[in-house]
């Protein structure tokens, strides 16, 4: 009986996602917001709460994030990654300053204390690699010139999480400096080791994985990716970082074959990830914190757009590409929820969880919209300004009109 209920629930979810994806395709719109709303409908306090299939959906959501980051990593080589990180680290500093400070300031203004301020700073700082990877793929921008800039910022954020998460865990647990320092050292060492292996031995890994049989290639790549992601997460490094670096390590025909084989699987589990996010949002908890969450979302959406614009300008990207880069970075997601979840478990501030959930839900819905429409809206705005400036310049002032009048009129 339990098995039958599970199959019915999970089948209904997949069918609903397929119909929503088809609807979004007809509307030429990213399906992510519709997937999130479906999660709200199936979650606690929604119209049709799930029971039997929720644990499976949670596992599918983790696989979805891993596959999204693996596929993003396949688009770039190890040398591209190292070069971009070397050139874009100032953008990472600007990103942290512009987007972490509003969260910390909001927590202090609401009287939540310094630890809650550090937590909320992380929630507002980190963009959603999973959502952004999906949106870039949906919009066909993976080959755009601004995409390496976006990728560099996302990777810097994900690597920064290897430092931030152990620190915030130690703060919330109240452990001593020795235990916190040991956890941080392990996380940094693991992240550095995975990056070193991906850059130094990427060709050997590709040769080991390569196989003419699609079935064997799929099994080896998928198994290797999930294994590395699990080890990375066990060592307090993001599973997403591990999966991304596996994608970076694979190159040539292996990368092309893997991309073709895993694309449908990625789309399926990515949709499950967005549904899972909505499942854990109780609609009743959102209205009381909606106004501060909305204000914080507006401020940090603007700061993310500025971050992307500044980073792309520094990289020599065209004006249109700068606006596309800024708009693509707005979405928050999985890391923000993980950070808020740690704070909720520790019980430091009961309102922090609902606020973070509402904030992320707003920006994960708005993010695909800003990615698509920031550049055309900015172009229209500046075109109107240029037209207005040109019209004002073409209207003669009183003195100019007098000078332009015929001589006999001026005399007479």
């Amino acid at each position: 009986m339990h098995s039958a209920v599970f199959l019915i629930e999970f089948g209904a979810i997949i069918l609903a996602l397929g119909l929503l994806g088809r609807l979004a395709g007809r509307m030429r719109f990213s399906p992510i917001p519709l997937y999130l709303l479906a999660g709200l409908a199936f979650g606690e306090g929604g119209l049709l709460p799930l029971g039997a299939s929720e644990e499976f959906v949670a596992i599918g959501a983790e696989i979805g994030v891993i596959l999204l980051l693996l596929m993003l990593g396949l688009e770039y080589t190890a040398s591209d990654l190292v070069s971009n990180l070397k050139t874009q680290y100032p953008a990472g500093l600007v990103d942290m300053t512009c987007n972490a400070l509003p969260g910390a300031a909001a927590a202090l203004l609401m009287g939540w204390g310094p630890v809650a301020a550090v937590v909320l700073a992380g929630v507002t700082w980190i963009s959603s690699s999973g959502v952004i990877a999906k949106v870039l793929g949906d919009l066909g921008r993976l080959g755009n010139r601004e995409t390496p800039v976006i990728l560099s910022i996302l990777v810097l954020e994900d690597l920064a999480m290897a430092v931030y998460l152990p620190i915030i865990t130690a703060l919330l647990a109240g452990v001593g400096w020795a235990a916190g320092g040991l956890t941080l050292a392990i996380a940094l060492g693991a992240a550095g080791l995975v990056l070193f292996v991906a850059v130094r031995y990427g060709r050997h890994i590709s040769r080991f994985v390569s196989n003419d049989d699609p079935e064997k290639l799929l099994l080896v790549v998928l198994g290797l990716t999930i294994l590395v992601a699990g080890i990375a997460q066990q060592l307090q490094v993001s599973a997403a970082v591990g999966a991304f670096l596996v994608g970076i390590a694979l190159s040539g025909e292996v990368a092309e074959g893997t991309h073709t084989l895993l694309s449908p699987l990625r789309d399926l589990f990515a949709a499950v990830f967005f549904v899972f996010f909505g499942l854990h949002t109780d609609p009743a908890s959102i209205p009381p914190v909606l106004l501060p969450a909305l204000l914080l979302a507006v401020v940090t959406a603007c700061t993310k757009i500025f971050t992307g614009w500044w980073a792309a300008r520094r990289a020599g990207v065209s004006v249109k590409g700068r606006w596309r880069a800024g708009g693509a970075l707005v979405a928050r997601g999985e890391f923000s929820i993980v950070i808020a979840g740690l704070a909720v478990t520790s019980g430091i501030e009961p309102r922090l969880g609902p606020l973070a959930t509402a904030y992320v839900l707003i920006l994960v819905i708005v993010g695909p919209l800003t990615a698509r429409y920031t550049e055309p809206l900015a172009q229209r705005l500046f075109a109107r300004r240029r037209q207005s400036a040109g019209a004002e310049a073409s209207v003669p002032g009183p003195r100019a009109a007098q000078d332009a009048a015929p001589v006999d009129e001026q005399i007479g």
Side-chain angles (χ1 to χ4, degrees), residues 168 405 410:
I168 197 65
Q410 293 184 28

Side-chain angles (χ1 to χ4, degrees), residues 313-341:
R313 178 173 179 258
R314 184 174 176 275
V317 178
S318 67
V319 174
K320 291 183 178 181
R322 297 172 198 172
W323 289 112
R324 287 195 297 266
L329 288 169
V330 167
R332 272 55 159 201
E334 58 275 10
F335 271 130
S336 299
I337 292 300
V338 168
I339 294 166

Side-chain angles (χ1 to χ4, degrees), residues 169-348:
T169 302
L171 285 174
L172 293 172
V175 300
W177 286 101
L182 178 61
T183 303
L184 179 59
I186 293 172
L188 289 176
L193 177 62
V194 174
L195 182 60
F196 172 78
V197 171
V199 173
R200 187 70 178 270
Y201 300 104
R203 286 178 295 177
H204 301 290
I205 295 173
S206 295
R207 195 177 302 121
F208 167 75
V209 169
S210 180
N211 198 296
D212 294 332
D213 188 339
E215 178 185 352
K216 295 182 178 64
L217 178 62
L218 174 64
L219 291 174
V220 171
V221 172
L222 188 59
L224 177 65
T225 302
I226 295 177
L227 176 63
V228 172
I231 294 173
Q233 187 158 313
Q234 188 69 27
L235 295 173
Q236 303 297 319
V237 181
S238 163
V241 171
F244 176 80
L245 293 176
V246 171
I248 288 289
L250 301 178
S251 59
E253 294 181 1
V254 174
E256 294 176 6
T258 301
H259 194 284
T260 302
L261 290 171
L262 285 179
S263 290
L265 206 58
R266 172 203 60 186
D267 294 337
L268 169 62
F269 283 104
V272 172
F273 161 70
F274 297 118
V275 169
F276 175 75
F277 185 83
L279 285 176
H280 286 259
T281 302
D282 184 359
S285 68
I286 294 177
V289 294
L290 188 58
L291 182 58
L294 185 60
L295 292 174
L296 194 58
V298 170
V299 171
T300 53
C302 293
T303 55
K304 274 292 182 183
I305 291 173
F306 169 76
T307 298
W309 190 94
W310 185 89
R313 178 173 179 258
R314 184 174 176 275
V317 178
S318 67
V319 174
K320 291 183 178 181
R322 297 172 198 172
W323 289 112
R324 287 195 297 266
L329 288 169
V330 167
R332 272 55 159 201
E334 58 275 10
F335 271 130
S336 299
I337 292 300
V338 168
I339 294 166
L342 292 173
V344 170
T345 303
S346 69
I348 61 166

